[in-house]
Amino acid sequence: MKTMIATNRRTRNTTSAAPAAPTAEEVDADMALLQRIGQRDVAAFQFFYKKFSGLLYSTITAS
């Protein structure tokens, strides 16, 4: 069930269901991605940014 919560001048969606836990394959792929970023792989960082920027932004603005 989705509900709308008004906070200051913005509205955010919340759901009652928790997100699914990542699979072992997804965790391994993310770890490999971080290793590539550590080796200064620009394409890996771009992929990482596209994958996680929305999640990070919504987490930061939710507080």
Side-chain angles (χ1 to χ4, degrees):
M1 168 165 84
K2 283 192 175 186
T3 57
M4 300 294 284
I5 299 173
T7 57
N8 294 336
R9 290 186 209 142
R10 60 182 180 247
T11 304
R12 62 186 164 133
N13 290 326
T14 61
T15 59
S16 57
T23 64
E25 291 82 16
E26 291 172 324
V27 171
D28 289 342
D30 289 342
M31 289 175 54
L33 186 62
L34 290 172
Q35 289 175 337
R36 289 176 46 204
I37 291 170
Q39 297 167 351
R40 298 181 179 259
D41 183 335
V42 174
F45 182 78
Q46 290 172 336
F47 182 80
F48 177 86
Y49 183 85
K50 287 179 184 176
K51 182 175 181 179
F52 291 108
S53 64
L55 173 64
L56 292 173
Y57 180 78
S58 64
T59 301
I60 292 168
T61 59
S63 30

